[in-house]
Amino acid sequence: MKKRMNQEKKQRKTSDTHQYNKKKQVSKSLNQRKRKTKGSIRRKNGKKKKMVLRDIILTTFFTIFLSLAIGSIFFKVTTVQGHSMIPNLRDGDILLIKKRTDLRRFDLVTFMNEKNNVQARRLIGLPGEKIVYKEDTLYVDDQPVDEKFIVDEVNESQRNGKNFTEDFTSEDLTSTKTIPEGYYLVLGDNRPYAADSRVYGLISAENMIGKVYFHWSLSNIKR
């Protein structure tokens, strides 16, 4: 009887041990699968992050390239040469030019001169207009027009007994009474010393680059 009971105990122990080992193997197999799954997820996430980073870099590069390409079509950067535009623009000032835009009187414009150099001047006369300067007053089609951007210089010059802008008419610069179509009259703000339409004549529309959209003065750095 005792022998039988001992045998049954041994059998139960053997069976329990077998079941324990089986559960242990199953648990080990599950853990291995979990680790493999986690590793696979990490690798996939890593690939996704690399792809996202690549897409961001490509998008940024393309945006910058496109901006520069579009900017070169509509804008141009140049610098002021000479002293014809003092006091409003000075030699070396940096100009951002908006190309081929509608031009209005008193716009600061840039154009190519006869030596193919970029020049900045003040737009005074438009096509079809009659321009007259008399005793420091601008007349457009016989109507006086204020030039507020040089009022201080005009007053100072007149206190010294001189006109800031010498008397002349658009007819002095061309064979017609009015400015021909496709041409503009430009002057420097530094009237007594500026080289402008009074020296090299009217500016054709073909030689016009555009108007000053923004200007940055280097004198601000030197102060």
Side-chain angles (χ1 to χ4, degrees):
M1 187 74 175
K2 286 183 179 179
K3 285 184 179 180
R4 189 174 177 182
M5 290 176 68
N6 289 334
Q7 286 178 353
E8 289 178 353
K9 284 182 180 179
K10 286 182 180 180
Q11 288 177 356
R12 283 198 297 270
K13 284 183 180 179
T14 302
S15 177
D16 290 343
T17 303
H18 180 71
Q19 288 180 358
Y20 173 77
N21 289 335
K22 191 174 181 180
K23 287 181 179 179
K24 192 174 181 180
Q25 287 178 353
V26 171
S27 177
K28 187 177 180 180
S29 177
L30 289 173
N31 288 334
Q32 288 177 346
R33 288 180 182 178
K34 285 181 180 179
R35 284 196 292 269
K36 287 182 180 179
T37 303
K38 287 181 180 179
S40 177
I41 291 173
R42 288 195 194 100
R43 286 193 294 272
K44 287 181 179 179
N45 288 338
K47 288 182 180 179
K48 285 182 179 179
K49 287 180 180 178
K50 288 181 180 179
M51 290 177 66
V52 170
L53 182 61
R54 183 195 64 184
D55 291 343
I56 291 173
I57 292 172
L58 289 175
T59 301
T60 302
F61 176 79
F62 180 75
T63 301
I64 293 173
F65 174 78
L66 189 63
S67 298
L68 291 174
I70 294 174
S72 65
I73 296 173
F74 296 104
F75 292 92
K76 178 183 178 66
V77 177
T78 188
T79 57
V80 176
Q81 300 178 26
H83 306 281
S84 292
M85 289 301 295
I86 289 176
N88 296 301
L89 297 177
R90 298 183 179 277
D91 185 45
D93 283 0
I94 299 172
L95 306 177
L96 179 63
I97 309 303
K98 188 174 183 181
K99 295 182 179 180
R100 301 297 180 183
T101 186
D102 292 334
L103 301 180
R104 299 180 180 181
R105 190 182 334 281
F106 300 147
D107 280 344
L108 292 173
V109 297
T110 57
F111 55 90
M112 301 294 291
N113 65 9
E114 70 278 3
K115 296 180 180 179
N116 287 327
N117 295 324
V118 178
Q119 295 289 305
R121 295 292 185 270
R122 184 81 61 180
L123 181 58
I124 302 297
L126 302 172
E129 293 181 339
K130 173 186 174 184
I131 300 297
V132 174
Y133 272 96
K134 186 175 182 180
E135 296 181 357
D136 267 335
T137 299
L138 166 63
Y139 293 90
V140 178
D141 294 333
D142 300 322
Q143 298 298 317
V145 178
D146 291 335
E147 295 182 288
K148 296 180 181 180
F149 49 89
I150 54 171
V151 64
D152 292 337
E153 287 72 25
V154 170
N155 291 337
E156 179 66 23
S157 183
Q158 289 182 348
R159 280 195 293 267
N160 294 326
K162 298 179 180 179
N163 286 336
F164 189 64
T165 306
E166 64 183 6
D167 292 351
F168 79 98
T169 70
S170 54
E171 192 174 0
D172 296 335
L173 310 178
T174 180
S175 58
T176 59
K177 291 185 178 181
T178 60
I179 298 173
E181 286 298 320
Y183 286 87
Y184 299 90
L185 189 154
V186 298
L187 295 179
D189 288 351
N190 192 10
R191 298 290 169 78
Y193 308 101
D196 46 40
S197 286
R198 295 170 296 179
V199 176
Y200 43 67
L202 303 176
I203 305 300
S204 69
E206 294 178 355
N207 289 334
M208 279 288 184
I209 299 172
K211 68 179 180 180
V212 177
Y213 185 76
F214 175 81
H215 101 272
W216 187 45
S217 179
L218 294 179
S219 61
N220 293 333
I221 300 177
K222 298 176 182 178
R223 290 174 185 173

